[in-house]
Amino acid sequence: MSGASFEPMARRMGFDFVPCGLDRAHVRELDAVLPPDQRETLADAPIVVRHLVAFSGGLGPAFARDLLERGAAWQPDIIVREPVEFGSVVAAELWQLPWASVMWAIYIDPHF
């Protein structure tokens, strides 16, 4: 599960695919996923702060919503996520499933 633009690659690799969340391929600036008032508040913040807020406050809720809607039929045993994708943690906690992070970037504990 990921943004729709990842589907061709996932299918070429033999994976089933369900689009979830916003598709970053169609977003020029990551913080564009945030509401205008939040973008304005963060306008002078360092890019790393703007991106972190965008992942947690913009992409995370959209991913959680889609995963919760589409995932009930999926019935996973575990959720494996990347370290800056937070929506799947919401689904895992609601479904009372274990979750793990594949480390490729900084790690931010999603419980915060």
Side-chain angles (χ1 to χ4, degrees), residues 4 11 18 22 28 35 42-43 46 50 54 58 60 66 69 75 78 81 89 91 101 106 109:
R11 294 210 182 269
V18 176
L22 302 173
R28 285 184 79 90
L42 294 169
R50 293 193 326 261
D66 289 351
E69 286 176 4
Q75 298 183 346
I78 187 171
R81 62 180 280 273
V89 175
S101 297
I106 62 170
D109 188 336

Side-chain angles (χ1 to χ4, degrees), residues 1-2 6 20-22 24 30 33-34 47-64 79-90 99-112:
M1 296 184 164
S2 187
F6 284 97
C20 277
L22 302 173
R24 288 196 42 223
L30 184 57
V33 302
L34 295 170
I47 194 166
V48 67
V49 172
R50 293 193 326 261
H51 283 189
L52 180 57
V53 173
F55 271 104
S56 60
L59 298 173
F63 196 89
I79 300 289
V80 180
R81 62 180 280 273
E82 64 172 287
V84 292
E85 188 286 301
F86 299 102
S88 60
V89 175
V90 172
W99 55 268
S101 297
V102 176
M103 297 304 296
W104 64 265
I106 62 170
Y107 181 78
I108 300 165
D109 188 336
H111 289 105
F112 293 116

